[in-house]
Amino acid sequence: MVSIRHYNSPIFKINNFGGIIMNISASMVKELREMTGAGMMDCKKALTETAGDMDKAVEFLREKGLAAAEKKAGRIAAEGIVDTNISDDGKTASIVEVNSETDFVAKNDTFREYVAAVAAQAAKTSATDIDAFLEEKWDLDNSKTVKEELSSMIAVIGENMNIRRFEQLKAEKGFIASYIHAGGRIGTLVELEAAVINDDVKEAAKNVAMQIAAMNPKYISRQDISDDYITHEKDIIKAQIKNDPANEKKPENIIEKMIEGRLNKELKEICLLDQVYVKDGDMNVGQYIDSVSKQAATTVAVKRFIRFETGEGLEKRTEDFAAEVAKQMGQ
């Protein structure tokens, strides 16, 4: 512990008013970092706030949840859930992914309530990236930032957690609907535009959101795809056909038809309106939207959509339960 009576040591100075100013040395920060596993800047802040008292600095970090959080920061957090938040008027929405280490925690009510609060915060935020979002004041407790609240939750739940990403969606003329699949494994938002918003149109929005969750389209329609993408895909398909010995003697016009056929098949898979409608295989999504438009006597159009799938692109932990227990026992 650093005692105040050591004010003549190099880590103290006397200011013009006779007060003691603490100069936090690098060795003190290093010592606290090694004791708690907390980040360098967090350790420096803790020592500054506690006038260099090492014991109080540890307590400061524990109260903020930072000591517990940093100790767990090396663990892979690739489970978790996706959640959405939509305003009462359906005009503003957010979607978030919050990761945990295990699926068990992802099903915990405390964790789910926390993720819902993160989604509510994301619906109101002016932040444009995750770093700025984490530095915002936490809506439910302005004495903390979003990052500090996350650290506190890590301490409570006992696993590493991560607010991985968020997006906002704002409807200009229509409204927004959402769909959550498998308890948060996949979440979607979809913006529909319609002059008349009745029960049929609302049901259509929910059905389209479900379609997006199930079939993972990349675009709304072919008009959204760039010419460069089409050219690139055609070149790849052409090379595949040319490299197949069975096609060596086929004339160029047949090759071109094969290219168009394969390209159309691919576009039907990645374009929402061209996809087979999952609730009625006799029509595609575009035809379903047209049928809703006729039934509601208004033009219904899909404007935008967002789809999050938990853990996509993240490394998954592969250790089994027995191995984890053995590790905890030091075997």
Side-chain angles (χ1 to χ4, degrees):
M1 182 183 294
V2 178
S3 173
I4 203 73
R5 66 176 180 272
H6 294 152
Y7 62 85
N8 289 323
S9 69
I11 63 173
F12 289 98
K13 292 180 181 178
I14 305 297
N15 65 21
N16 294 333
F17 302 98
I20 297 173
I21 301 174
M22 169 64 73
N23 286 335
I24 304 302
S25 68
S27 61
M28 293 171 64
V29 174
K30 181 175 181 292
E31 181 182 353
L32 183 59
R33 182 178 173 84
E34 289 173 351
M35 289 172 62
T36 65
M40 182 177 65
M41 296 307 297
D42 291 324
C43 288
K44 184 175 181 181
K45 180 179 179 181
L47 287 164
T48 301
E49 292 290 331
T50 59
D53 188 311
M54 198 65 68
D55 290 344
K56 289 182 179 179
V58 172
E59 289 301 310
F60 178 92
L61 291 170
R62 290 185 62 195
E63 289 170 2
K64 293 290 187 181
L66 295 172
E70 292 295 337
K71 285 181 179 179
K72 298 178 178 67
R75 302 181 189 172
I76 296 171
E79 296 295 337
I81 60 171
V82 173
D83 202 0
T84 59
N85 181 281
I86 302 179
S87 61
D88 291 339
D89 63 2
K91 295 290 186 180
T92 304
S94 67
I95 183 168
V96 300
E97 178 186 353
V98 180
N99 299 125
S100 61
E101 292 180 58
T102 64
D103 184 55
F104 178 77
V105 162
K107 295 175 180 177
N108 178 279
D109 287 342
T110 300
F111 178 79
R112 288 181 169 275
E113 288 170 5
Y114 169 69
V115 178
V118 173
Q121 175 108 13
K124 302 174 184 176
T125 186
S126 58
T128 56
D129 59 59
I130 197 68
D131 290 334
F133 182 68
L134 289 171
E135 295 304 318
E136 280 187 345
K137 292 295 184 183
W138 180 242
D139 275 353
L140 299 180
D141 181 356
N142 285 165
S143 68
K144 297 180 179 179
T145 63
V146 174
K147 181 180 179 181
E148 288 170 343
E149 177 63 16
L150 171 62
S151 296
S152 297
M153 289 303 301
I154 291 172
V156 168
I157 288 177
E159 279 194 9
N160 190 28
M161 291 161 49
N162 178 46
I163 302 174
R164 185 187 181 196
R165 53 182 171 164
F166 72 93
E167 284 194 44
Q168 280 183 338
L169 198 57
K170 295 185 178 181
E172 297 177 3
K173 297 180 180 179
F175 68 103
I176 301 165
S178 70
Y179 175 73
I180 298 295
H181 177 71
R185 176 60 59 185
I186 299 171
T188 63
L189 293 175
V190 61
E191 177 189 351
L192 254 62
E193 189 174 286
V196 176
I197 302 175
N198 57 23
D199 289 342
D200 290 333
V201 175
K202 289 179 180 178
E203 182 182 358
K206 182 68 71 175
N207 287 337
V208 172
M210 186 185 302
Q211 173 84 24
I212 293 164
M215 302 305 293
N216 194 18
K218 306 302 180 187
Y219 305 93
I220 294 175
S221 70
R222 299 188 185 199
Q223 285 69 40
D224 299 319
I225 303 176
S226 70
D227 292 338
D228 288 343
Y229 178 90
I230 297 295
T231 300
H232 178 68
E233 290 303 302
K234 280 186 173 181
D235 289 343
I236 291 175
I237 295 170
K238 186 174 184 178
Q240 291 171 346
I241 293 172
K242 292 282 189 181
N243 290 331
D244 186 345
N247 299 321
E248 282 182 2
K249 297 182 180 180
K250 290 181 179 176
E252 198 63 31
N253 66 319
I254 297 299
I255 297 293
E256 288 299 319
K257 288 182 180 179
M258 292 174 67
I259 292 171
E260 289 299 323
R262 292 191 188 182
L263 179 65
N264 284 332
K265 182 180 179 181
E266 179 182 332
L267 296 183
K268 284 181 180 180
E269 293 175 354
I270 64 173
C271 294
L272 174 65
L273 297 182
D274 285 338
Q275 288 181 340
V276 174
Y277 180 41
V278 292
K279 296 185 74 173
D280 185 346
D282 292 332
M283 64 173 73
N284 62 30
V285 176
Q287 291 168 334
Y288 168 65
I289 293 295
D290 288 342
S291 70
V292 174
S293 296
K294 291 178 181 178
Q295 188 172 351
T298 187
T299 300
V300 179
V302 180
K303 304 303 292 183
R304 287 178 295 175
F305 68 84
I306 303 170
R307 181 185 188 275
F308 280 4
E309 184 167 348
T310 302
E312 55 189 343
L314 293 177
E315 179 185 356
K316 298 282 186 178
R317 179 158 62 179
T318 57
E319 294 175 308
D320 59 25
F321 181 71
E324 178 68 14
V325 171
K327 178 187 287 187
Q328 294 294 329
M329 295 176 66
Q331 298 178 3

